[in-house]
Amino acid sequence: LKNRDHDISNWIKGVYNPIDRLLGEIINPLPQKIKELSGDPYDDNLMELFCSYLERSQSKIDRIQTIYQSIPCPISARKFSLNLYQCFSEVKDALNEFNIYTAGYVDNYLHDGQEMIRIAKSKRLALKKEKNNLPIN
């Protein structure tokens, strides 16, 4: 039992915590980035800033996927791990929607991406609460 708790603790430190930090770096600045872009979405400079945010976010998603696969999840935290995966997949899908938006300025993609981020935010919040119920020494 103690060994299992230690495995979960190591997984939280090595996988969940860095992923959660990176997710925050993507999710938290987004409302401001969209607000800046909405000033004039056809302004090349504003769009360039938004696109560079998307590129940085995509490289963070790539890091998240690498981190997620770096340490196998302990069996007793499988459901938690799956919820974490669903959370960052939602963010990844949202970034794809935003990328499509930047290519054609179709507002539906912007709105769909924002909705996916809203879902990811609530999943991230649920994960923070759920983490407290994991058997960690």
Side-chain angles (χ1 to χ4, degrees):
L1 189 68
K2 190 158 179 60
N3 206 16
R4 184 187 78 180
D5 294 355
H6 182 71
D7 288 347
I8 291 175
S9 183
N10 283 342
W11 188 84
I12 292 291
K13 287 180 194 141
V15 176
Y16 169 77
N17 288 342
I19 287 176
D20 182 63
R21 184 181 50 75
L22 287 165
L23 285 172
E25 291 174 12
I26 297 169
I27 293 170
N28 296 337
L30 181 67
Q32 183 61 36
K33 299 293 179 189
I34 289 176
K35 185 178 179 193
E36 290 165 3
L37 181 64
S38 71
D40 181 2
Y42 299 103
D43 179 308
D44 290 342
N45 292 332
L46 293 177
M47 184 54 81
E48 199 173 306
L49 289 171
F50 187 69
C51 286
S52 68
Y53 157 78
L54 292 178
E55 287 169 27
R56 287 191 309 279
S57 296
Q58 186 57 55
S59 74
K60 288 174 185 177
I61 285 291
D62 295 343
R63 286 213 317 268
I64 285 171
Q65 289 181 298
T66 302
I67 293 166
Y68 185 77
Q69 295 167 343
S70 67
I71 302 172
C73 174
I75 290 167
S76 52
R78 283 270 193 250
K79 183 176 181 280
F80 183 81
S81 173
L82 180 61
N83 291 340
L84 179 62
Y85 181 83
Q86 290 171 339
C87 180
F88 76 74
S89 289
E90 198 74 42
V91 173
K92 182 180 177 181
D93 291 345
L95 292 176
N96 288 335
E97 293 293 305
F98 294 140
N99 275 317
I100 294 169
Y101 168 75
T102 63
Y105 298 97
V106 178
D107 284 344
N108 293 3
Y109 293 106
L110 186 63
H111 296 300
D112 290 350
Q114 287 175 297
E115 179 61 16
M116 290 171 181
I117 291 293
R118 189 192 63 71
I119 291 166
K121 269 174 98 165
S122 75
K123 286 182 186 218
R124 184 173 175 234
L125 199 60
L127 281 164
K128 287 178 186 291
K129 291 177 185 165
E130 194 181 337
K131 183 181 109 175
N132 298 330
N133 298 326
L134 292 174
I136 303 170
N137 53 355

